[in-house]
Amino acid sequence: MVPGFESYFGPGPHFRFLRDRGEAEASAVEGIRVFPEADTPEDALRALMPAGEAKIGFAGAREAALEQLYEALDADPEICGVVGYSEGASAAATLIYDEQERMRSEGYVPRIKAAIFFMGWPALTSESVPALSDEVEDLLEVHSLHIIGANGMSSNQSNC
């Protein structure tokens, strides 16, 4: 395990929805420790995940995560909201984004009506790239609360 991983994320077990090219511990810790400074959160994420590399890194991860999440939805008809932290926020946002895409293309009725995101990463589009708000037309269309810590990795971009 990478030094510092447990002190940041706490004791295991650690589960991942979205697998990238790196080892779970190395990729997560390194990205957080060297989070680039930029004028906007979108520019910081572009610097962290250069074009082309993000798609390769998350190839197949989106579909595998969605399969698990739709299985959970199918198993419990009462689910109508999601809460996600960090990578879990990205998985939850990806589910919401996918539900919206399916609504437009298939007439699917979205189940998720509200979301709470803690220190989240963006959704992955159907092309398995991050859905950055300055690059996509369709934003998440659910009630949501986004919580970002004062000393969090992207707090310099999120101050109002």
Side-chain angles (χ1 to χ4, degrees), residues 97 101 123 125 127 129-140:
Y97 203 82
E101 289 177 343
T125 68
E127 291 82 32
V129 295
L132 302 179
S133 64
D134 63 352
E135 295 179 351
V136 296
E137 291 181 26
D138 301 320
L139 302 179
L140 299 182

Side-chain angles (χ1 to χ4, degrees), residues 91-102:
T94 299
L95 173 64
I96 295 166
Y97 203 82
D98 189 69
E99 282 195 318
Q100 290 174 190
E101 289 177 343
R102 288 180 63 194

Side-chain angles (χ1 to χ4, degrees), residues 71-82:
E71 284 176 11
L73 283 178
D74 292 343
D76 187 345
E78 298 291 317
I79 296 174
C80 62
V82 291

Side-chain angles (χ1 to χ4, degrees), residues 38-111:
D39 291 336
T40 67
E42 293 82 8
D43 286 342
L45 287 168
R46 274 190 280 277
L48 187 64
M49 300 178 286
E53 289 184 29
K55 184 174 184 176
I56 294 166
F58 290 113
R62 180 183 188 272
E63 290 74 24
L66 286 173
E67 183 178 327
Q68 287 182 305
L69 294 170
Y70 279 119
E71 284 176 11
L73 283 178
D74 292 343
D76 187 345
E78 298 291 317
I79 296 174
C80 62
V82 291
V83 176
Y85 166 71
S86 190
E87 182 182 290
S90 178
T94 299
L95 173 64
I96 295 166
Y97 203 82
D98 189 69
E99 282 195 318
Q100 290 174 190
E101 289 177 343
R102 288 180 63 194
M103 179 182 67
R104 288 190 230 0
S105 66
E106 305 168 15
Y108 174 85
V109 177
R111 294 268 310 273

